[in-house]
Amino acid sequence: MSDLKSNSTSDLLHVSIATDKAAQKWGNNALLSPSAEGYQIHLVGSDPLRNMQKAARSLSNLGISQLQLSGKGWSKDLQWAFYQGFCTAKKHDGVVFNNEQGEAKQLEQLATCFSFAKKMINDTPEMLSPVALAEQAEAFIRAVAPEGSVSSELITGADLAEAGWHGIYQVGRGSTRPPALLILDFNPSAKPETAVAAALVGKGITFDSGGYSIKPTEGMATMKCDMGGAATVTAALALAIMQGLSQRVKLILCCAENLISGHAYKLGDIITYKNGTTVEIVNTDAEGRLVLADGLMCATESKASLIIDAATLTGAAMVAVGGEYNALFALDKPLAARALQYAEDEQESTWQLPLEKWHQQQCPSPYADTANSRPVKGGGAGGASNAAGFLSRFVAEDGKGWLHYDLAAAFNNSANSYWAAGATGHGIRSIATTLLAETKR
């Protein structure tokens, strides 16, 4: 990364690519062997990107803090796979990229955006309150955007209820630290009449206890990551700006802590949203969709033709696609097909799960238009699709132009052969590319 450029690369460990097998003395089909300047990675089998990431994880586990990618054969995707495997929750830099193919600048931009998102997701919930999340996201966008292109509004606490954003307010009112809605406007034209081309909506639950539907300890231990959607869309917008985004885009972050107190929302409560939809609370741990509903209505008010929301929304998505894929939902099938291709182009595994208009009716309530879930563990069968169906009630035109990402691959509870424990940033590249491509159509 750029902060290492001042160091002489001769002082760094060099890592090169070898196209032959490692000598037998290093083990059967060894990925790594030592060289005169450091190590070489033997990419001779199938799936070179995963093998590269695995080799980088092995080097990171040796305690190496800084290195240089040297020699030939370093494509952008191979370098990025190495970076993803090498970094940890405590180490977001240390890789000097190879510029043989002129791609070091793009890789440094990726690293800057991923580092921001991963640091924020890995931060402690005590350090990252809802307002702090909103403020840090705004500061990051202002730092990368052209001067004068960003304006913002931050609504907090009881002002949310007065403004009609009842979902965020109800979920967050149990905490002494107020909930917040950030509405950031990136407008490079600086003309107020410029149409909003797209809106990005992120779930920003800075800690999720589950509320009165309380999580067990093992389920709550990693809930600092429940604002992963907000971090992901913020980083995606920043990356798109760095890559030349010229259209007006709104960033909408729905931030709250879901805690238990005498002032917390309760099972049986009914929330009436701005669009008139009434929602019975049957599970206070299904809070993400409640805050996103406000964000989606806010996005719809902007008349953006493209709306993308991202959230660590359901455990059901993780059950369906595992921890290596994000789940994609859309009623707009042609848009979904393009989004899947963008994700494939960016080497971010994404899988489309079912969503139809009738999924809106999958959480019935005798007291309101809908419940926020089903009152069974995990929301019952098809829980991720039912959550997406709930969200579809809050977008216009039968979901035309809307994409919902359930970020099943955003966070690893523990390390494995490819990833360190913690945030992955998976989804940032896909959303940035979707944003850039779709706003040019």
Side-chain angles (χ1 to χ4, degrees), residues 91-161:
K91 179 177 62 184
H92 294 275
D93 53 17
V95 178
V96 177
F97 293 115
N98 185 300
N99 202 35
E100 176 197 1
Q101 300 179 26
E103 295 172 326
K105 182 178 179 181
Q106 294 179 50
L107 287 159
E108 289 170 3
Q109 290 173 345
L110 280 170
T112 297
C113 295
F114 272 68
S115 179
F116 163 80
K118 291 164 79 171
K119 285 179 179 177
M120 180 176 278
I121 294 169
N122 290 332
D123 206 353
T124 69
E126 181 60 28
M127 295 298 294
L128 194 71
S129 68
V131 170
L133 168 59
E135 291 175 343
Q136 289 181 33
E138 178 185 353
F140 184 59
I141 297 299
R142 287 188 183 275
V144 302
E147 186 175 354
S149 63
V150 175
S151 59
S152 65
E153 179 183 11
L154 183 61
I155 307 172
T156 65
D159 290 344
L160 287 163

Side-chain angles (χ1 to χ4, degrees), residues 173-259:
R173 68 187 175 96
S175 172
T176 58
R177 302 197 291 186
L181 173 65
L182 174 67
I183 307 170
L184 183 145
D185 188 354
F186 171 70
N187 186 2
S189 74
K191 297 177 181 177
E193 66 271 17
T194 298
V196 177
L200 302 178
V201 182
K203 172 187 171 184
I205 301 297
T206 56
F207 187 73
D208 182 17
S209 71
Y212 280 104
S213 304
I214 192 168
K215 295 177 182 289
T217 296
E218 61 272 20
M220 203 188 303
T222 57
M223 280 300 100
K224 63 184 180 182
C225 79
D226 214 20
M227 36 61 63
T232 297
V233 293
T234 301
L237 176 57
L239 182 58
I241 291 170
M242 290 177 172
Q243 295 179 345
L245 178 66
S246 60
Q247 302 297 314
R248 187 178 183 182
V249 175
K250 291 211 170 184
L251 175 69
I252 300 163
L253 303 186
C254 310
C255 309
E257 287 182 319
N258 185 22
L259 300 181

